[in-house]
Amino acid sequence: MKVACPTTLAEAISHKALGFTPVAGATDLWAHWPVRTANHDLSYVDLSGLHELRGIAWSAEHLTLGALTTYWDTMQDSRVNAEFPLLIAAARYVGAIQIQSRGTWAGNIANGSPAADGVPALMALDARVRLVGSNGERTVPLDRFYTGYRATVMGVDELITAILVPRRTYSFTAFEKVGPRRAQAITKVGFAVAHSADGWRVVANSMAATVRRCPSLEAILNASHPNPPAEPDLRAAASKDLAPISDIRSTAEYRTEVFARLLRSTLATMTARP
Amino acid sequence: MSHDTMHIAFTLNGKAVEIDVLPHERLLDTLRYTLGLTGAKEGCGEGECGACTVHLDGLPVNSCLVPTFQVRGRDVRTVEHLSPALLAPLHECGATQCGACTPGVVMAAAWIRDNSHLLSRFSIRELMAGNLCRCTGYDGIVHGVERLVASEQGAA
Amino acid sequence: MLRLEGLSKLTGAERYADDMPLCDFLWGMTVRSQSPRGRIVDIRFDPSVDWSQFTIVTHRDIPGCNEVYLIEKDQPILAATHTRHIHEAVVLLAHPDRQALRRAVGKVKVIVDELPPVFDPRAPLAPEQLQHGTENVFKALEIRKGDAAAALTAAPVVVEGEYATGAQEHVYIEPNAMIAWTDEAGVICVRGSLQCPYYVLNALKHAFAREADGVRVIQTPTGGGFGGKEDYPSIIAVHAALLAHKSGKQVKIIYDRDEDMAATTKRHPSIVRHRTGVTKDGLLLAQDIDIIMDGGAYVTLSPVVLSRGLIHAAGPYSCANVHVRGRAVLTNCIPHGAFRGFGAPQTHFANERHMDRIAAHLGMSPVELRRRNLLKKGQTTSTGQVIRDGVDRCELLDAALDAARYDARRQRHAEFNRAHPYLRRGMGVATFHHGAGFTGSGEDYLASKLAVAARSDGRVEVRSASTEMGQGTLTVFTTIAAEALDIPADRVVVANPDTHLVPNSGPTVASRTAMVVGHLIERACDDMAGQLGAARGLSSAPRGGAFLAALDAWGRENPGRELVGRAQYKKPEYVQWYDKTYQGDAYATFSWGAYVAEVEVDLRTFSTRVTDFVAVQDIGRVLNDTLAAGQVTGGVVQAIGWALMEECVWERGAMKNNQLTNYIIPTSFDVPEINVKFIQSPYAHGGGGAKGVGELPMDGPGPAILNAVADATGADPCELPLTPERLMRLIPSGDAP
Ligand SMILES: Cc1cc2nc3c(=O)[nH]c(=O)nc-3n(C[C@H](O)[C@H](O)[C@H](O)COP(=O)(O)OP(=O)(O)OC[C@H]3O[C@@H](n4cnc5c(N)ncnc54)[C@H](O)[C@@H]3O)c2cc1C
Ligand code: FES
Ligand code: FES
């Protein structure tokens, strides 16, 4: 196993281009480490020394999360708490404190798990991913980041350097996670919902091969706004948008049913409000 | 298999240390097998149980998920660093039985005590959710932390 | 008294097996069969590995018998010709570098000619699936009282039910750990994480064809057991010893969590059928109960687990006609073994759920049904055992209902459930008992021995093989000895279990430690004090200050010597058990419990949360409030896990979700504070008046919680764990919130 510990982004990118695996909080990469001996033959580039990837910054248009921003960093930030409760709700559901203190939002995105909890919240807020590679920088909307199960548009030489979250006024946001227990749990059914002047966003996790937006659901929500759509319409739209599977953690049947029930109930809380 | 070692300097329990480590070493291994600090335990090696909890730059982390090369220049504190006097409330409340989870529980508890303002937003039960205990059913731990926090606030 | 070793655990100073500094040692690991059933035709070592660097052990390296020494000797230490489950050990490897070893394990292939396996204990057998006896039945047992068949025919009301429970993994937080070496005298030594030093000793004797003086077993601080370190450590100890024997070095085997979860025993899955005859006002007339337990691939402890399950199956109720049948059946799963409760949680679950079903059938309150049938003093259990002692069962039940504010809460729940769009609250009750000590003649056969030594340094040392694994043995033994001699606790030391130094006080299981072994301490103290009195020319055995004065004086005159008092188990005179008919006093006494659970079910997600839990019990005299309450809270939470979330997902007879990420046990955030109450009734033949407490709390929560879910939702759940996925199938879709 080889490890590079660069101090500049350029160095890190050149290592990545050579096939080194980036390490941020290591909460995905190092889980079961001793028994995953094949991974010990890989080469790694440590991002933790890159100051350029740190910090939470605000501009008129964006909240920018440096790629090393952890869940706990955001949970401790009063401004993020005030303006983006959706992010905080998601962060709080990730693992427990020992994971929140180390796990990064960017790692959650790059890891590409369909069960990721950070991704749906970010995607519902139309977050964009800043990628920097040997040929420069580009910004990709998070909802176009995944191309399939654990497959992304990230180039071999690219790193995520930051996540940009547009600042908008939201009339409604909600995050739901159903896991096998109340904390330290991998999501069986989950979604993030947001409504702003740009319309509805519904993003589901653990309901398909990737975390994904639900265009049919968004369409019927936009159409019926400000009323919630009828339940049969919700279910029909969900079945078009999603393709849940049965696996070691749950069943397709359960995921389908619970997604529909939770979404309906979540939307009801919105309309119940003044 | 390459055995190239890496040279690492960091602060451990308030003291500067410099050691050579293997690239694949986890902080948990370095502490236990290289430095002889066997307080932190390996309960799972997958980040679930929290028995390996230590403080990294003041935050609780699972040392089984920390590559040792990442602690260069940083501050690591282990259960061996805590003052035994602090542990009386946990002892009295029955926070330990078999003791396998205990060093991790104690590190999480000490962090809560040092950050008791968090208790306005989080319950002790939520903050302790990363420390699995199979013996106590948690009541002994939760009562112990309550008492620990109260004693700290009383002292302040 | 505070837990004696508590501070050492809290400060991280306690040294568990993997914490002990070792030099020049090898790590040991196990190559497993990978096939649920078949004939081993070859073992292939990948030529890319330099095997000369490794110590390699197969069945051919076993000096004695290739049998794990237990009830039956059907399980090989290392499979030689056949394999019966996927994780059966075939080859052992040792190497100084643990990572090199982990890689090497994957480079050994056991080639197996597959034979047809059995995975369902109820499926009809094809002849080629036979592996044990004529029906793959490890053990069949029966209890008869009165004439259940006739009484059922005559009964005005008959209620039937079938109940199932899943396997449960122990998840002690310290995985299995064992160190072995040969000492200068040639003695094969092991020290490690284990519950029963003498079980391990017997296993070593058998495997190495040695007498007791040629082998030695030392317990290290044990990070949880719950039955999981009752029989399995014998296998790991022999494995480590074989590697040490062959390599001439110290060998350490620490199971990774995934290996520990995959390869070691679990709680027996069960299927229990009830047919019960009752009068219209709820008096039990007949109980017909049929039990199947999935034993897994080898006999291990299944016969005794089955036996305890059978004896508790009819519950703490009086019924004149009872017929219980049970079978422990072979499947090609990893062997199921001891787990806190030892068969009783399974059968109590069925019976207590069934009581609620009977109550529903009769339109009667489940509390009232229980009140009418709970055993009263002088009445008999299914084995004809007369209830002689203990707190009245109805008093326990009332105390639990009171503490739970049962009636008031249920009323409020009714209103809440009408108004709430998707949350449903409910309450459930379970009343149950747990026999303390070994079943039937078990304690007689064990004939446990214990010694108490008065040492010339003025201290008294308790020597037993009973282990501390978190349940408080050290503290409780110290208390019992100090009370027996009326001396300060700091004059008492408890010897670390080491088979060279302590007599065989039996295994640390079956809630027997405080009651049975504790009582031996008292008797050995009597013996020792008598000897001291005689040595000092006193007219009686001294106690208190007189004892200390006598010991100090004797110690000054006899430096370096000790006076050893001894005791051996004698059953209380009233105890009569007939193994042939399964009649009589199955246990010297029972502990009793009445638990009330409150739950909240979310009809959007079908998840159940336990929101309140009351645990009232009679465990004899409480020797230490914190420790006893800790046993109850720990047991209740372990049972909450079993009831609601702990599901072993099986594939080809092996646990597929063998990771803590996917095998879900409760966190602190998932469980409420447990309201624990003891009603004390000192038991004359128990150490300090104690009965058993370790296992009782495992019996009640499962049924209490599922009864509460039934109350909340109107569903009729009959299977554990009641995961949301399972509950969803029981709730009609029309109920969508
Ligand atoms: C016990 C436990 C509980 C967990 N619970 C949850 C949970 O509830 N919800 C959830 O969503 N996740 C959970 N996780 C998974 C994990 O914590 C998160 O996905 C986390 O966000 C990963 O971040 P990291 O920084 O630790 O990633 P790492 O492990 O460092 O990396 C993950 C992946 O991302 C890549 N990567 C990281 N940073 C970059 C970058 N800047 N550019 C390009 N690639 C990069 C890495 O190469 C790797 O492939 C849990 C993990 C554990 C061990
Ligand atoms: S050993 Fe690190 S979390 Fe379990
Ligand atoms: S005390 Fe045993 S696991 Fe917590």
Side-chain angles (χ1 to χ4, degrees):
Chain A
M1 168 167 162
K2 263 200 233 117
V3 179
C5 299
T7 50
T8 67
L9 183 57
E11 272 176 90
I13 286 165
S14 61
H15 278 105
K16 172 97 197 289
L18 292 173
F20 282 54
T21 304
V23 188
T27 57
D28 277 312
L29 286 172
W30 253 245
H32 297 287
W33 180 251
V35 295
R36 284 158 62 189
T37 45
N39 292 9
H40 301 198
D41 299 332
L42 305 178
S43 300
Y44 294 89
V45 50
D46 181 21
L47 305 183
S48 71
L50 301 177
H51 292 284
E52 309 142 87
L53 304 190
R54 292 196 180 277
I56 297 175
W58 298 84
S59 70
E61 293 82 38
H62 289 113
L63 157 67
T64 304
L65 303 174
L68 288 174
T69 306
T70 64
Y71 301 104
W72 190 248
D73 290 336
T74 43
M75 286 164 77
Q76 285 302 87
D77 187 296
S78 50
R79 220 165 142 189
V80 180
N81 271 274
E83 197 166 324
F84 291 106
L86 188 64
L87 294 182
I88 303 303
R92 191 167 180 165
Y93 273 119
V94 173
I97 174 64
Q98 291 92 333
I99 300 297
Q100 292 157 1
S101 64
R102 292 270 299 162
T104 63
W105 292 92
N108 198 239
I109 293 174
N111 187 53
S113 162
D117 291 315
V119 176
L122 288 168
M123 206 184 277
L125 299 172
D126 284 351
R128 299 161 68 81
V129 181
R130 185 182 292 151
L131 296 169
V132 179
S134 1
N135 296 326
E137 176 182 316
R138 61 177 176 141
T139 309
V140 181
L142 183 53
D143 63 9
R144 279 192 240 131
F145 190 75
Y146 300 109
T147 55
Y149 179 69
R150 288 189 182 265
T152 76
V153 300
M154 197 165 31
V156 283
D157 64 336
E158 282 181 318
L159 282 173
I160 300 176
T161 57
I163 304 158
L164 283 68
V165 189
R167 299 181 66 185
R168 290 181 186 149
T169 307
Y170 285 95
S171 59
F172 181 75
T173 60
F175 181 83
E176 286 290 349
K177 164 167 174 167
V178 182
R181 64 184 163 203
R182 291 181 74 208
Q184 193 83 301
I186 297 180
T187 299
K188 298 196 287 192
V189 179
F191 58 75
V193 180
H195 179 256
S196 71
D198 289 82
W200 282 93
R201 298 290 181 272
V202 180
V203 183
N205 54 332
S206 290
M207 294 298 292
T210 65
V211 178
R212 67 157 71 145
R213 271 180 71 175
C214 303
S216 317
L217 279 168
E218 290 177 5
I220 62 164
L221 276 160
N222 286 330
S224 68
H225 194 80
N227 299 309
E231 166 145 19
D233 299 343
L234 265 189
R235 285 181 182 258
S239 78
K240 267 188 240 158
D241 290 335
L242 301 168
I245 57 162
S246 294
D247 61 10
I248 195 170
R249 301 192 184 108
S250 191
T251 62
E253 183 199 8
Y254 177 84
R255 291 181 157 118
T256 305
E257 183 64 30
V258 170
F259 182 86
R261 288 184 177 213
L262 259 188
L263 184 61
R264 206 191 79 146
S265 144
T266 301
L267 296 172
T269 64
M270 184 223 10
T271 47
R273 284 199 202 133
Chain B
M1 246 188 310
S2 102
H3 277 293
D4 305 338
T5 57
M6 300 171 75
H7 192 71
I8 304 275
F10 63 105
T11 308
L12 176 61
N13 293 333
K15 292 203 192 82
V17 290
E18 282 196 38
I19 48 166
D20 289 324
V21 300
L22 294 170
H24 67 253
E25 250 176 75
R26 304 169 299 170
L27 179 57
L28 179 62
D29 303 324
T30 308
L31 291 172
R32 290 175 51 79
Y33 300 136
T34 309
L35 297 164
L37 296 178
T38 53
K41 306 276 178 261
E42 175 155 357
C44 67
E46 49 174 304
E48 285 284 329
C49 75
C52 64
T53 303
V54 301
H55 295 175
L56 180 60
D57 292 339
L59 283 177
V61 303
N62 291 321
S63 61
C64 72
L65 296 184
V66 178
T68 305
F69 60 74
Q70 281 198 333
V71 304
R72 59 192 193 281
R74 302 177 71 177
D75 183 64
V76 177
R77 276 163 208 261
T78 68
V79 67
E80 285 84 358
H81 186 67
L82 296 178
S83 127
L86 185 145
L87 303 169
L90 293 162
H91 197 196
E92 289 153 14
C93 294
T96 183
Q97 288 189 19
C98 82
C101 72
T102 305
V105 163
V106 165
M107 290 309 280
W111 176 74
I112 296 173
R113 182 208 52 174
D114 294 342
N115 296 275
S116 53
H117 62 275
L118 292 173
L119 295 177
S120 61
R121 281 171 71 202
F122 304 93
S123 66
I124 291 173
R125 284 185 183 271
E126 182 175 354
L127 292 175
M128 293 298 307
N131 293 87
L132 297 178
C133 173
R134 196 56 157 169
C135 296
T136 62
Y138 300 108
D139 284 349
I141 293 172
V142 172
H143 295 158
V145 176
E146 279 165 2
R147 219 188 263 188
L148 187 64
V149 170
S151 68
E152 175 70 8
Q153 285 166 345
Chain C
M1 194 193 313
L2 288 182
R3 173 181 290 277
L4 283 172
E5 81 293 2
L7 264 189
S8 154
K9 286 174 170 170
L10 285 157
T11 55
E14 190 89 332
R15 297 263 175 171
Y16 297 78
D18 191 31
D19 303 338
M20 313 228 159
L22 301 181
C23 13
D24 192 28
F25 72 100
L26 306 178
W27 290 93
M29 276 188 87
T30 314
V31 178
R32 301 180 186 277
S33 80
Q34 306 302 330
S35 161
R37 185 179 173 218
R39 208 164 51 80
I40 300 175
V41 290
D42 197 9
I43 299 172
R44 293 195 192 136
F45 291 82
D46 189 320
S48 69
V49 177
D50 176 5
W51 293 104
S52 70
Q53 308 268 314
F54 291 81
T55 303
I56 302 172
V57 162
T58 68
H59 69 96
R60 291 195 187 82
D61 297 293
I62 299 170
C65 293
N66 183 14
E67 295 165 346
V68 180
Y69 188 89
L70 218 61
I71 297 174
E72 282 187 33
K73 301 180 192 71
D74 61 333
Q75 180 171 206
I77 292 162
L78 290 169
T81 56
H82 287 80
T83 155
R84 267 202 202 162
H85 66 93
I86 279 192
H87 295 299
E88 185 142 15
V90 183
V91 178
L92 303 170
L93 301 177
H95 190 274
D97 178 344
R98 196 178 186 184
Q99 278 316 92
L101 185 61
R102 283 197 177 99
R103 287 169 189 256
V105 166
K107 303 279 185 187
V108 184
K109 283 269 154 329
V110 182
I111 312 295
V112 172
D113 234 357
E114 303 248 349
L115 293 164
V118 190
F119 296 127
D120 177 355
R122 284 203 292 188
L125 285 179
E128 59 276 15
Q129 287 175 311
L130 265 189
Q131 296 157 69
H132 190 100
T134 53
E135 290 177 290
N136 278 354
V137 173
F138 288 142
K139 185 82 181 177
L141 289 170
E142 198 170 18
I143 297 173
R144 277 177 191 279
K145 177 187 188 187
D147 186 345
L152 271 170
T153 319
V157 182
V158 174
V159 182
E160 302 194 23
E162 181 176 300
Y163 307 91
T165 64
Q168 185 182 23
E169 160 57 32
H170 305 84
V171 196
Y172 28 72
I173 297 296
E174 181 207 23
N176 272 291
M178 205 65 71
I179 301 165
W181 71 100
T182 309
D183 74 8
E184 313 79 56
V187 174
I188 292 174
C189 307
V190 299
R191 57 179 171 168
S193 186
L194 51 93
Q195 288 180 229
C196 310
Y198 276 89
Y199 279 7
V200 178
L201 189 86
N202 289 336
L204 286 169
K205 279 161 61 182
H206 196 67
F208 284 87
R210 290 188 174 205
E211 294 305 315
D213 56 2
V215 288
R216 177 176 185 179
V217 179
I218 304 165
Q219 187 222 3
T220 53
T222 298
F226 315 113
K229 293 174 185 168
E230 175 168 345
D231 57 312
Y232 204 86
S234 297
I235 298 180
I236 310 174
V238 172
H239 286 173
L242 286 167
L243 286 167
H245 190 63
K246 184 150 183 184
S247 65
K249 296 218 169 165
Q250 275 200 86
V251 171
K252 168 153 99 168
I253 296 182
I254 309 285
Y255 278 7
D256 288 315
R257 174 62 64 186
D258 64 335
E259 180 178 26
D260 199 304
M261 293 183 90
T264 72
T265 58
K266 320 260 164 279
R267 180 186 302 286
H268 288 71
S270 75
I271 302 150
V272 181
R273 274 187 295 139
H274 274 262
R275 282 184 70 222
T276 311
V278 280
T279 66
K280 292 217 161 66
D281 45 10
L283 287 178
L284 293 177
L285 297 172
Q287 293 171 286
D288 181 273
I289 307 169
D290 188 79
I291 302 165
I292 299 175
M293 288 193 182
D294 177 348
Y298 292 104
V299 174
T300 67
L301 297 165
S302 292
V304 270
V305 171
L306 178 71
S307 158
R308 189 176 274 272
L310 234 72
I311 290 168
H312 290 81
Y317 305 111
S318 167
C319 180
N321 304 289
V322 184
H323 186 193
V324 193
R325 298 166 303 280
R327 281 174 299 149
V329 181
L330 174 146
T331 61
N332 293 98
C333 296
I334 51 105
H336 297 296
F339 195 144
R340 193 179 206 164
F342 216 71
Q346 289 94 316
T347 54
H348 271 310
F349 166 69
N351 196 46
E352 285 304 292
R353 208 46 284 285
H354 193 60
M355 287 299 276
D356 268 39
R357 189 179 263 192
I358 295 170
H361 198 95
L362 297 173
M364 180 184 275
S365 116
V367 169
E368 190 49 36
L369 180 69
R370 285 177 173 79
R371 217 191 292 279
R372 288 190 186 173
N373 292 288
L374 278 168
L375 282 163
K376 296 185 183 48
K377 210 165 264 182
Q379 292 184 323
T380 57
T381 67
S382 60
T383 64
Q385 174 164 0
V386 180
I387 299 306
R388 294 161 220 270
D389 50 46
V391 175
D392 180 66
R393 272 48 66 182
C394 285
E395 187 187 332
L396 286 174
L397 176 58
D398 288 335
L401 296 170
D402 242 32
R405 288 174 288 122
Y406 181 80
D407 290 325
R409 274 227 178 103
R410 286 204 64 216
Q411 249 166 33
R412 264 194 283 137
H413 292 164
E415 286 161 35
F416 176 90
N417 291 346
R418 269 194 300 277
H420 202 282
Y422 54 81
L423 295 179
R424 297 289 177 271
R425 294 184 179 159
M427 294 183 89
V429 174
T431 44
F432 53 98
H433 60 331
H434 200 92
F438 263 42
T439 304
S441 331
E443 291 293 343
D444 276 338
Y445 287 128
L446 277 178
S448 300
K449 295 191 195 75
L450 182 136
V452 173
R455 302 191 319 206
S456 61
D457 66 356
R459 289 182 186 242
V460 169
E461 185 176 70
V462 178
R463 293 176 186 159
S464 86
S466 304
T467 53
E468 169 67 58
M469 49 186 156
Q471 84 290 35
T473 303
L474 268 180
T475 314
V476 162
F477 277 12
T478 304
T479 304
I480 291 174
E483 278 186 9
L485 296 167
D486 190 21
I487 59 173
D490 61 9
R491 289 289 195 119
V492 179
V493 291
V494 178
N496 189 59
D498 172 344
T499 55
H500 264 31
L501 304 176
V502 300
N504 185 0
S505 60
T508 314
V509 302
S511 311
R512 64 187 291 279
T513 301
M515 180 177 106
V516 177
V517 187
H519 194 49
L520 292 178
I521 296 178
E522 295 174 332
R523 289 180 35 223
C525 282
D526 286 346
D527 182 28
M528 183 266 290
Q531 293 179 37
L532 181 63
R536 301 300 303 159
L538 305 176
S539 58
S540 65
R543 289 289 190 279
F547 174 87
L548 292 177
L551 179 56
D552 288 344
W554 180 87
R556 275 193 300 277
E557 289 166 22
N558 298 279
R561 290 186 51 204
E562 57 186 30
L563 283 172
V564 182
R566 295 178 201 280
Q568 180 159 18
Y569 179 79
K570 270 204 314 268
K571 67 175 186 197
E573 251 145 42
Y574 64 83
V575 174
Q576 292 298 336
W577 173 254
Y578 305 94
D579 244 339
K580 289 233 162 60
T581 55
Y582 249 63
Q583 284 294 304
D585 299 301
Y587 301 95
T589 188
F590 290 96
S591 293
W592 307 90
Y595 286 7
V596 182
E598 182 192 66
V599 301
E600 185 175 277
V601 179
D602 186 332
L603 291 181
R604 300 170 308 168
T605 62
F606 307 98
S607 51
T608 302
R609 256 180 72 197
V610 179
T611 47
D612 189 65
F613 202 96
V614 172
V616 177
Q617 48 260 305
D618 161 18
I619 58 161
R621 190 178 142 233
V622 175
L623 299 178
N624 183 307
D625 287 329
T626 310
L627 293 187
Q631 284 298 297
V632 176
T633 54
V636 167
V637 167
Q638 209 165 45
I640 290 177
W642 184 51
L644 294 176
M645 51 181 92
E646 295 185 29
E647 171 134 59
C648 293
V649 182
W650 295 101
E651 188 175 60
R652 304 211 319 147
M655 189 179 176
K656 202 168 136 193
N657 53 337
N658 56 327
Q659 311 166 328
L660 288 182
T661 323
N662 290 326
Y663 182 81
I664 303 298
I665 68 170
T667 71
S668 50
F669 203 34
D670 294 286
V671 291
E673 183 167 342
I674 312 300
N675 185 351
V676 180
K677 286 202 164 31
F678 298 104
I679 302 185
Q680 304 201 31
S681 71
Y683 169 61
H685 305 274
K691 303 192 280 193
V693 60
E695 296 174 286
L696 181 80
M698 193 74 219
D699 294 337
I705 290 166
L706 266 70
N707 286 340
V709 173
D711 183 46
T713 62
D716 186 14
C718 297
E719 188 177 355
L720 289 183
L722 186 58
T723 57
E725 284 78 0
R726 252 189 209 116
L727 182 57
M728 182 174 101
R729 278 179 238 128
L730 303 176
I731 290 181
S733 56
D735 288 5

